[in-house]
């Protein structure tokens, strides 16, 4: 009987589950969106129970779609939105609050109060002080509800990123664990020691008793309880944050390898091997993986809004009916007016990430004229994704002193050929689109399969990650510089503090 991997990709806007076989083929899949809650401006929440139910339901659907018995599943691999967290009762497993999402900015004031300690935070955790990360939002919750802090200190409550929540629920409370990649996004984890940092916990007034055990991403780490996903128990053989999973799935496992994932946000990582590389450009240093899933490090730059801007075009402005329609609209705009200098969209809906890190920045549309059309707004929104990615790449090259030869790209938005070509043009570098767009899920599947012997060595994974279409730059450098000057001016208008 074939041995397959169940790869669970729990993302910001939805949950996807894949059944992957030993040749890296997707044999079955299932997807459903997750409801977004916006209780106040800048706040974003999820329902943790909805997330768990989606994982169970979609896992069963994916197995059914693969037309394979549950006995064929060798292991489960979990990859997840990283900084989003849940607090729940240890004994009952019931959440005491909605999941607070990585996009949420409710702890901006706390971050401002801690700003003078940023160098210490960066030295310990590899991160900058920003609401993006779990720690300050957990502090916000504990400050708002002191009883939660007391119960946490008594060991009655659990804190966990989505991986921890899912493992705890799937194992019916048997395991309380996270992996290094997710822990490294909490602002409470010592990157060099790979353990919770007592000084950070004191700074944020977080009880250690609330925190899970931190372990390597490659397991096995737990088992699904019989009756959850399948009638029998299945090893949970890998847990890994989504962006590190995409890095692994792209085969970027050696120092200098890099990738960009275009999802709700856009995330760029460069593997730095066993070296922690401090950033002079306010990029992040984070946990990553080596070829066999061993701990390693990476530089990361985060663009908060990428695919989410396309959702805004569809659901907010209703300029397109489907996300795929943006390609046609952008081409129509370009065909009508090949001068892309107007308008510019700066999608700072929840602030700006790297390299600006301005939590208070808000979105802007700059350069509207009487002739501006809906297609122009669509085109400028797609362009904004490519501009933001370029800003991070320039900072990454500066920090490492290593020019990027090509950009490896994955994620749903890479299906947009207009975006991929403009990305190559504005970078002046080739963009290689992954052969399998679902690289995030594939990374978790590869790691889980390696742990359980579906693949015998990292060398066997190379064929899965190889290939993909290459978009070559066609734009003249003079046009590129003109467009970039306009983009920099538009960003400056959206910032609330001077850019570093």
């Amino acid at each position: 009987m074939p041995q397959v991997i169940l790869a669970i990709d729990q993302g910001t806007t939805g949950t996807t589950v894949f059944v992957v076989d030993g040749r890296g083929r997707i044999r079955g899949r299932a997807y459903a969106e997750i409801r977004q809650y916006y209780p106040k401006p800048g706040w974003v929440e999820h329902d943790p129970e909805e997330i768990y139910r989606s994982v169970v339901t979609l896992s069963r659907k994916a197995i059914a779609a693969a037309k394979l018995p549950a006995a064929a599943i060798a292991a489960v691999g979990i990859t997840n939105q990283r900084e989003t967290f849940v607090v729940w009762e240890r004994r009952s497993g019931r959440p005491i609050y909605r999941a607070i999402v990585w996009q949420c900015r409710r702890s901006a004031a706390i971050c401002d109060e801690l700003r003078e300690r940023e160098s210490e935070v960066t030295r310990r955790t590899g991160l900058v002080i920003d609401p993006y990360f779990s720690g300050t939002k957990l502090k916000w919750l504990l400050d708002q509800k002191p009883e939660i802090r007391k119960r946490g200190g008594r060991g009655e409550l659990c804190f966990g990123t989505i991986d921890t929540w899912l493992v705890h629920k799937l194992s019916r409370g048997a395991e309380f664990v996270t992996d290094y990649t997710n822990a490294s996004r909490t602002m409470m984890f010592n990157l060099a020691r790979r353990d919770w940092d007592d000084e950070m916990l004191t700074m944020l007034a977080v009880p250690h008793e609330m925190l899970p055990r931190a372990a390597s991403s490659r397991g096995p780490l737990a088992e699904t309880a019989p009756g959850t996903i399948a009638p029998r128990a299945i090893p949970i053989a890998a847990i890994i944050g989504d962006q590190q999973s995409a890095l692994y799935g792209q085969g970027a496992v050696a120092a200098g390898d890099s990738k960009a994932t275009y999802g709700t946000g856009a995330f760029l990582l460069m593997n730095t091997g066993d070296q922690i590389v401090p950033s002079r450009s306010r990029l992040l240093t984070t946990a990553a993986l080596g070829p066999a899933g061993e701990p390693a490090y990476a530089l990361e730059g985060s663009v908060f809004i990428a695919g989410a801007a396309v959702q805004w075009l569809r659901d907010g402005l209703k300029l397109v009916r489907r996300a795929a329609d943006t390609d046609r609209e952008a081409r129509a705009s370009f065909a009508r007016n090949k001068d892309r200098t107007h308008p510019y969209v700066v999608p700072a809906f929840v602030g700006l990430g790297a390299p600006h890190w301005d939590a208070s920045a808000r979105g802007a549309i700059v350069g509207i004229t009487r002739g501006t059309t809906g297609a122009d707004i669509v085109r400028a929104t797609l362009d904004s994704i490519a501009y933001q990615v370029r800003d991070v790449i320039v900072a990454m090259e500066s920090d490492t002193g290593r020019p990027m030869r090509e950009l490896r790209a994955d994620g749903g938005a890479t299906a947009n050929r207009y975006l991929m070509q403009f990305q190559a043009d504005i970078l002046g570098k080739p963009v290689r689109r992954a052969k399998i767009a679902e690289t995030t899920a594939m990374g978790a599947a590869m790691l889980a399969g390696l742990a359980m012997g579906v693949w015998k060595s990292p060398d066997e994974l190379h064929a899965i990650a190889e290939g993909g279409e290459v978009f070559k730059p066609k734009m003249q450098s003079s046009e590129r510089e003109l467009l970039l000057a306009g983009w920099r001016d538009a960003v400056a208008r959206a910032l609330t503090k001077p850019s570093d």
Side-chain angles (χ1 to χ4, degrees):
M1 183 175 293
Q3 292 293 288
V4 297
I5 305 299
L6 190 73
I8 297 168
D9 182 0
Q10 204 301 295
T12 310
T13 54
T15 301
T16 313
V17 180
F18 299 91
V19 176
V20 181
D21 69 16
R23 294 172 61 184
R25 298 177 301 181
I26 296 174
R27 301 286 294 275
R29 73 175 74 199
Y31 170 78
E33 289 193 354
I34 295 294
R35 182 178 175 185
Q36 313 292 308
Y37 295 88
Y38 306 100
K40 293 184 180 181
W43 290 28
V44 191
E45 297 175 351
H46 289 162
D47 178 353
E49 294 286 12
E50 180 192 5
I51 289 175
Y52 172 65
R53 288 193 303 270
S54 75
V55 165
V56 171
T57 300
L58 295 170
S59 293
R60 294 172 180 173
K61 286 184 177 180
I63 293 168
K67 298 180 180 179
L68 292 170
I73 302 172
V76 172
I78 296 176
T79 183
N80 59 284
Q81 49 171 319
R82 297 172 297 175
E83 299 80 11
T84 300
F85 71 90
V86 186
V87 176
W88 68 94
E89 293 178 337
R90 189 182 296 266
R91 293 184 65 181
S92 71
R94 288 195 299 264
I96 64 166
Y97 200 85
R98 282 184 187 154
I100 300 180
V101 180
W102 61 271
Q103 295 169 316
C104 185
R105 315 305 287 175
R106 72 185 65 193
S107 63
I110 292 173
C111 291
D112 290 340
E113 293 170 2
L114 295 174
R115 193 72 59 196
E116 63 183 23
R117 301 186 68 178
E118 185 167 82
S119 61
E120 178 186 357
V121 171
T122 300
R123 176 170 52 83
R124 292 180 177 277
T125 70
L127 308 178
V128 297
I129 294 177
D130 191 85
Y132 179 25
F133 308 108
S134 317
T136 59
K137 285 180 286 200
L138 177 59
K139 175 176 169 54
W140 176 91
L141 180 61
L142 300 179
D143 289 348
Q144 292 292 310
K145 300 179 181 291
E147 179 59 25
I148 296 178
R149 181 176 278 117
K150 292 177 183 177
R151 293 186 67 192
R154 295 196 296 263
E156 297 174 9
L157 300 179
C158 298
F159 159 88
T161 43
I162 295 299
D163 59 307
T164 306
W165 164 246
L166 291 177
V167 171
H168 195 264
K169 293 286 283 186
L170 289 170
S171 68
R172 293 205 174 118
E175 292 292 341
F176 183 38
V177 64
T178 190
D179 85 301
Y180 298 148
T181 65
N182 280 291
S184 73
R185 313 300 295 187
T186 64
M187 216 174 91
M188 298 183 287
F189 192 71
N190 189 292
L191 203 58
R193 296 203 319 268
R194 300 193 186 103
D195 200 0
W196 301 112
D197 190 289
D198 289 337
E199 291 298 322
M200 290 306 307
L201 297 184
T202 299
M203 185 186 301
L204 298 171
V206 171
H208 197 289
E209 292 81 1
M210 294 182 68
L211 304 180
R213 171 175 64 92
S216 180
S217 302
R218 176 177 170 174
L221 298 114
E223 286 186 337
T224 65
T228 52
I229 287 175
R232 67 178 181 90
I234 304 172
I236 300 174
I239 299 172
I240 182 170
D242 53 8
Q243 302 314 316
Q244 286 90 341
S245 189
L247 190 71
Y248 194 78
Q250 284 269 34
V253 293
D257 291 346
S258 55
K259 68 89 199 177
T261 295
Y262 298 76
T264 303
F267 302 89
L268 290 88
L269 272 77
M270 177 182 285
N271 196 311
T272 59
D274 59 2
Q275 299 297 310
I276 296 177
V277 177
S279 174
R280 300 180 302 275
S281 307
R282 303 195 78 218
L283 298 180
L284 311 175
T285 308
T286 195
L289 275 66
E294 69 273 22
Y297 298 100
L299 274 179
E300 176 173 340
S302 305
V303 173
F304 291 157
I305 298 295
V310 176
Q311 287 183 317
W312 168 68
L313 293 173
R314 182 193 67 187
D315 302 335
L317 300 186
K318 302 190 184 306
L319 291 176
V320 293
R321 293 183 59 188
R322 301 174 304 138
D325 295 340
T326 57
D327 185 278
R328 183 190 66 241
E329 293 295 303
R331 292 179 187 280
S333 169
F334 182 59
R336 188 178 62 85
N337 183 3
K338 289 184 165 39
D339 180 2
R340 289 187 177 99
T341 56
H342 291 93
Y344 284 91
V345 171
V346 183
F349 303 153
V350 289
L352 286 172
H356 309 289
W357 292 109
D358 187 344
S360 299
R362 287 297 175 262
I365 303 176
V366 178
I368 295 175
T369 68
R370 178 63 182 83
T372 298
T373 67
D376 295 334
I377 301 299
V378 171
R379 187 266 309 156
T381 301
L382 291 182
D383 290 353
S384 76
I385 299 172
Y387 284 127
Q388 291 177 96
V389 166
R390 183 191 181 278
D391 287 347
V392 174
I393 288 173
V394 169
M396 200 169 277
E397 290 177 331
S398 174
D399 279 342
T400 61
R402 188 194 303 263
M404 192 178 292
R405 289 175 301 187
E406 70 173 18
L407 177 65
R408 299 184 221 188
D410 61 79
T414 62
N416 191 305
R417 297 183 65 85
Y418 172 87
L419 174 59
M420 290 295 94
Q421 184 58 57
F422 185 68
Q423 186 70 84
D425 287 341
I426 207 66
L427 277 175
K429 301 175 189 290
V431 173
R432 182 179 298 274
R433 182 168 63 182
K435 180 173 60 177
I436 301 173
E438 299 88 353
T439 313
T440 301
M442 194 60 63
M446 292 161 65
L447 190 61
L450 192 63
M452 298 304 297
V454 173
W455 295 287
K456 304 303 180 186
S457 73
D459 291 339
E460 292 187 25
L461 303 177
H462 289 334
I464 298 174
E466 287 177 348
E469 183 178 3
V470 178
F471 293 81
K472 296 181 180 179
K474 300 176 181 178
M475 184 180 289
Q476 295 295 319
S477 58
S478 57
E479 181 183 358
R480 184 181 305 119
E481 290 306 315
L482 179 65
L483 293 177
L484 288 171
W487 167 250
R488 287 189 288 267
D489 177 69
V491 170
R493 294 168 185 259
L495 293 172
T496 60
K497 57 184 181 181
S499 182
D500 292 335

